[in-house]
Amino acid sequence: MAKIAFILLCHKEPDAIIRQAQSLTAAGDYMSIHFDARARPEDYAKIRAALRDNPNVTFAGKRLKCGWGEWSLVAATLQAVDAAVEAFPRATHFYMLSGDCMAIKSAEYAHDFLDRHDKDFIESFDYFNSDWIKTGWKEERLVYRHWFNERTQKKRFYAMFNLQQRLGLTRPIPADIDVMIGSQWWCLRRRTIEWILDFAKKRRDVMRFFSTTWIPDETFFQTLVRHLVPDKEIESRTLTFLMFTEYGMPVVFYNDHYDLLLSQDFLFARKISPEALELKRRLGVLFSSEGVTFQISNEGRSLFNFLSGKGRIGRRFAPRFWETESSLGRERELLIVVCKKWHVAKRLVERIRKMTNVPCVEYLFNEESCPLPDLGGIQSTMGKRHRHRRALMRMLFDYYDTDRLLVCMDPANLDLLEDFGRDRSTTRFLEVECQFSDDYLIGHAMRVGLAGARTPRETIERLLPTVRNDMIHESDRIRDAEFEYLNHMREIDPMEVSARAVAEFLTVPESVAQDIVRHDHLFAD
């Protein structure tokens, strides 16, 4: 009978990991855990202590600091796999999991399924000829070397890429390797795992190549399995049910998804919401049950596409994901710099970026060209940014892996300010009030289409009071909104007054705020 060694990569929520390990090993299966070396030492100690007496649990021999898109994720997986092969000689299959995964079938069903299907289950599509990569880099992931993390070392990441591109420093793919791509959630037979470990020891050239590719957890195992195992013994699919929205975000499952999950032709599902306590309880009971029959209809993806498609044409049967999970998060803090003169706000934000560790994004709702990371397309047009504003902001918080984020907005965007101001998150505003010369107002009128190069001077002079009053009205509307945390920084104020406003806005010491506002040309046009 099949015996599964679960390979678990995790970095948080020790209590959930302990419950997951106890549940999955209760039916006689095994688990090998790699707990991120970046995580809190006391969390790791808690897991080790709780599972010390469980003979079906082992731990990776070496803990690595992992980062999204890095080789470290593959290296950590290999550490956990190596430990599992050594500790569990009776394991017949090795199944890759995350802390967000849960079984949606019983252990009895899973063992019988693997006994009946003597195959390796791993998505493995041709890297260059398939459309698995929807947006962003493709060849660049492989032919250039990537030593830095794109999320945490962005400047170094792109500086090294641009340097290699400028100098033409591309490299060949190992000649006997056809690169494949697919989901990192696989289930492989013991023989295949042993072949991979043996290959990794012998082919240092291939290991060096993948160790400097970008997002290798989507290519390494996928490529090696196809290289080592006959095609007829590979089923190019994952046994973990997961879906993505049109914006590249994973669909999260909640308590009312129990029946839908059980009817899918998969053994596990991700992502299960941390708040779905009843779903987790029912799935935990299910895994240890015996004699359960499952009616497989496998309609999950088509049903989701149908309902979300109806939402796009205005016929809605359920809230869309950015509405059911519309809050930025009670524990998060959004900082908004509101300023009519965008160049002034950008200078201030650049100072904040240098003096603090708060990620800053400039006028993302006003400038189409505002630099934004690839978030699956939701950032691609101004219309999408406004329409899915909270989803976009949540994704930015997740992208920068932070609970504090600063953005810039124009005072005219009162609807955005009010929307974020009503969120359960803490939203702080800093209104930067500038003086407006006639020349600036004329330039503004031309930029927004109120005047042109051939507009008569008399018309412009009649227009100026209206433009000026409109800006004053925008500021008055912000005050009338009565935001809970609203600070004001005015061009005419002394530096110490401005520093107090910035200190309260950023919740930093006044000495830091003074360094931020100490800029000779902050308000210059």
Side-chain angles (χ1 to χ4, degrees):
M1 184 180 77
K3 289 276 190 179
I4 306 171
F6 295 104
I7 309 300
L8 179 65
L9 264 58
C10 48
H11 65 281
K12 59 181 180 179
E13 298 183 0
D15 292 330
I17 293 167
I18 293 166
R19 288 193 297 269
Q20 188 178 28
Q22 291 171 338
S23 173
L24 293 180
T25 58
D29 291 312
Y30 312 104
M31 178 173 285
S32 179
I33 299 173
H34 178 279
F35 194 71
D36 197 329
R38 296 183 192 275
R40 300 195 312 167
E42 55 267 34
D43 287 347
Y44 182 60
K46 184 176 185 178
I47 296 169
R48 291 293 299 245
L51 300 175
R52 182 187 299 117
D53 298 327
N54 189 330
N56 287 11
V57 175
T58 191
F59 292 84
K62 181 179 180 181
R63 291 173 61 207
L64 305 175
K65 293 181 178 180
C66 298
W68 184 90
E70 291 182 9
W71 169 253
S72 56
L73 287 175
V74 176
T77 304
L78 290 171
Q79 286 286 332
V81 166
D82 201 44
V85 169
E86 180 70 23
F88 309 127
R90 296 181 60 197
T92 61
H93 293 78
F94 295 75
Y95 198 121
M96 184 73 180
L97 284 179
S98 77
D100 296 323
C101 298
M102 283 203 73
I104 57 174
K105 299 291 187 295
S106 63
E108 180 183 61
Y109 180 97
H111 296 153
D112 179 67
F113 178 92
L114 295 176
D115 284 337
R116 288 185 289 108
H117 299 84
D118 185 22
K119 291 184 177 182
D120 294 307
F121 291 87
I122 182 170
E123 280 190 351
S124 182
F125 303 105
D126 187 279
Y127 187 91
F128 294 100
N129 295 325
S130 70
D131 63 347
W132 202 87
I133 298 176
K134 304 296 183 185
T135 60
W137 286 355
K138 195 166 191 176
E139 185 180 23
E140 294 88 345
R141 290 194 192 185
L142 305 178
V143 300
Y144 295 105
R145 296 169 178 84
H146 303 279
W147 291 285
F148 300 103
N149 186 293
E150 194 268 346
R151 289 189 172 181
T152 60
Q153 299 172 292
K154 189 177 293 292
K155 288 185 179 179
R156 291 180 177 180
F157 180 90
Y158 286 107
M160 290 304 302
F161 169 74
N162 291 332
L163 178 63
Q164 292 178 81
Q165 192 176 49
R166 190 161 60 250
L167 298 177
L169 298 177
T170 59
R171 60 176 175 175
I173 297 168
D176 60 331
I177 294 293
D178 293 321
V179 180
M180 299 288 161
I181 191 167
S183 167
Q184 64 268 52
W185 311 112
W186 40 255
C187 178
L188 303 177
R189 296 168 298 175
R190 186 182 191 92
R191 183 187 65 179
T192 302
I193 285 291
E194 291 173 344
W195 284 351
I196 290 173
L197 294 177
D198 186 56
F199 182 93
K201 292 175 184 175
K202 294 179 179 177
R203 292 295 302 272
R204 306 313 299 174
D205 60 322
V206 175
M207 299 298 284
R208 283 194 300 272
F209 171 77
F210 277 107
S211 69
T212 51
T213 59
W214 190 41
I215 321 182
D217 55 322
E218 293 180 349
T219 55
F220 178 78
F221 288 98
Q222 296 78 359
T223 300
L224 264 58
V225 170
R226 189 66 69 173
H227 182 74
L228 298 169
V229 179
D231 286 353
K232 64 181 181 180
E233 296 182 25
I234 302 171
E235 189 156 338
S236 186
R237 76 175 183 105
T238 174
L239 293 179
T240 299
F241 180 58
L242 66 161
M243 297 190 295
F244 290 90
T245 70
E246 62 179 323
Y247 300 105
M249 291 292 289
V251 175
V252 179
F253 299 110
Y254 295 92
N255 291 335
D256 56 353
H257 286 121
Y258 179 80
D259 292 330
L260 180 141
L261 292 176
L262 265 59
S263 66
Q264 306 312 305
D265 189 18
F266 297 86
L267 303 183
F268 281 74
R270 76 180 304 268
K271 287 184 167 184
I272 307 297
S273 169
E275 300 173 1
L277 301 181
E278 177 62 14
L279 175 62
K280 289 185 174 184
R281 185 194 66 79
R282 296 178 72 183
L283 291 178
V285 171
L286 175 71
F287 187 71
S288 58
S289 301
E290 295 182 357
V292 180
T293 58
F294 297 89
Q295 300 298 320
I296 306 298
S297 57
N298 217 30
E299 82 298 337
R301 290 195 174 95
S302 58
L303 180 61
F304 175 79
N305 291 334
F306 172 76
L307 293 179
S308 58
K310 292 301 179 184
R312 285 191 290 276
I313 61 174
R315 295 173 57 197
R316 298 169 51 194
F317 298 90
R320 299 177 75 171
F321 85 93
W322 49 79
E323 293 171 334
T324 57
E325 196 182 306
S326 59
S327 173
L328 303 184
R330 200 180 297 275
E331 74 287 353
R332 286 174 167 169
E333 188 175 55
L334 178 62
L335 306 169
I336 303 178
V337 173
V338 185
C339 185
K340 197 67 181 179
K341 291 187 176 180
W342 297 359
H343 58 279
V344 173
K346 290 178 181 180
R347 287 181 196 140
L348 178 64
V349 166
E350 186 57 31
R351 299 286 294 174
I352 293 172
R353 191 180 280 121
K354 289 181 179 178
M355 302 295 177
T356 71
N357 61 354
V358 179
C360 302
V361 182
E362 295 170 355
Y363 286 85
L364 72 166
F365 295 108
N366 302 98
E367 288 186 302
E368 192 94 44
S369 60
C370 172
L372 289 171
D374 185 355
L375 301 173
I378 194 172
Q379 84 294 341
S380 59
T381 67
M382 196 60 69
K384 283 186 176 181
R385 294 182 202 174
H386 279 260
R387 193 160 58 247
H388 311 313
R389 58 191 69 167
R390 293 200 186 188
L392 173 63
M393 206 65 77
R394 281 202 315 276
M395 293 165 77
L396 286 171
F397 273 104
D398 292 338
Y399 178 85
Y400 290 112
D401 193 20
T402 183
D403 289 329
R404 299 188 85 206
L405 178 70
L406 186 149
V407 299
C408 297
M409 293 191 194
D410 191 283
N413 299 132
L414 184 63
D415 61 327
L416 293 172
L417 301 177
E418 290 183 324
D419 190 16
F420 289 118
R422 289 193 301 266
D423 193 81
R424 286 183 295 175
S425 64
T426 299
T427 306
R428 297 180 180 273
F429 301 87
L430 176 66
E431 185 182 12
V432 182
E433 299 177 37
C434 305
Q435 299 297 106
F436 302 108
S437 66
D438 286 350
D439 287 341
Y440 176 85
L441 293 177
I442 291 171
H444 175 75
M446 290 182 174
R447 285 191 295 273
V448 300
L450 294 175
R454 298 183 180 181
T455 303
R457 183 69 190 184
E458 311 87 76
T459 302
I460 289 178
E461 288 178 352
R462 290 197 301 269
L463 186 62
L464 286 182
T466 303
V467 175
R468 190 183 300 276
N469 288 334
D470 187 61
M471 291 185 177
I472 295 172
H473 177 61
E474 289 176 354
S475 183
D476 287 339
R477 291 171 67 204
I478 291 173
R479 284 172 170 77
D480 292 340
E482 298 181 343
F483 295 121
E484 185 176 0
Y485 301 104
L486 176 61
N487 298 97
H488 301 276
M489 176 182 172
R490 302 189 300 174
E491 182 175 351
I492 61 175
D493 285 339
M495 188 192 74
E496 56 268 24
V497 175
S498 296
R500 282 198 295 271
V502 171
E504 188 171 344
F505 169 65
L506 294 173
T507 59
V508 297
E510 280 199 25
S511 59
V512 175
Q514 287 173 2
D515 288 336
I516 291 172
V517 301
R518 190 178 288 116
H519 190 300
D520 292 339
H521 307 291
L522 181 62
F523 290 94
D525 289 330

